[in-house]
Amino acid sequence: MENHTKDSTMNVSSLNCIDLSDDDLHNSVVSLKQACLDCGFFYVINHGINEEFMDDVFEQSKKFFALPLEEKMKVLRNEKHRGYTPVLDELLDPENQVNGDHKEGYYIGIEVPKDDPHWDKPFYGPNPWPDADVLPGWRETMEKYHQEALRISKAIARLLALALDLDVDYFDRTEMLGKPIATMRLLRYQGVSDPSNGIYACGAHCDFGMMTLLATDSVTGLQICKDKKATPQKWEYVPPIKGAFIVNLGDMLERWSNGFFKSTLHRVLGNGQERYSIPFFVEPNHDCLVECLPTCKSESNLPKYPPIKCSTYLTQRYKETHAELSIYHQ
Ligand code: OGA
Ligand code: NI
């Protein structure tokens, strides 16, 4: 097992901050592009979600996790990756972790009712919801947040398109973010991480998809490693900023952009305080063929990755990182 004790000192990262209300589009695109080339992590502010609503979402998330385990198991994650994920359900870094992540989660995807022609696709379908008598207003709050986070993701995708020299609405089309896979995940971390013994709140990983909008409470824990190949690895904390999202690019966008934009390794260390966060994972349409973007290849820079369908890629990544559902039904 790798020895991480030395590298967990308090290094703090400074990330670019993208202001979505900035009228100077050129300035935003330059700053975003620099962040995407450097480490694929940046803050987003002035996104239009007010703080009271954000506080409400976190309050509701807390209420869910405070339920007895038996109640939470009633909405256990299903085969469409929706619902409750118990502690240790996910294992992101098998090389360095002895067990899974010390976190619980709740996945919420795009609600696709059973009479929709696309409902049977692996990442569409109805969400399980906790009983409205137990958590009144919960579903409404989460659905509203999902909508808002998707709106912000699309605004960021427009800047990303410009940073990639594509038309501003390149990612807006139906086969991309017009009908996306977008999954939010409520998370609660507990306990103290002990890297030298392979215990992590969340193991080192890169996100799978296009980008992730992360909302966190004020408890520090997220770390990034800008150079995965350096030895020893250097980990820097990304401090939470009230009202800001931490946004990062995922492997699918790295692949799509032919390695031009970066997805960066990150992890979470627990310090004993309870920590709540809500990542919102953004992926294009199920059937979107993720193949080298037209502006990211040339005769001297040929595509490095074969094209792959979005849902095929995601299914594979989920399978590699999540426990078999059958373990819960013995
Ligand atoms: C993730 C993740 C970070 C956090 O869920 O992919 O990196 O702070 N989460 O919860
Ligand atoms: Ni992540």
Side-chain angles (χ1 to χ4, degrees), residues 202 205-207 212 248 266 281:
C202 169
H205 67 282
C206 290
D207 290 353
T212 308
N248 66 291
H266 54 284
F281 302 106

Side-chain angles (χ1 to χ4, degrees), residues 37-57:
L37 295 172
D38 174 37
C39 64
F41 265 83
F42 48 92
Y43 294 106
V44 167
I45 57 165
N46 292 328
H47 41 64
I49 298 190
N50 71 48
E51 283 188 18
E52 292 82 69
F53 178 60
M54 211 63 231
D55 291 345
D56 197 21
V57 178

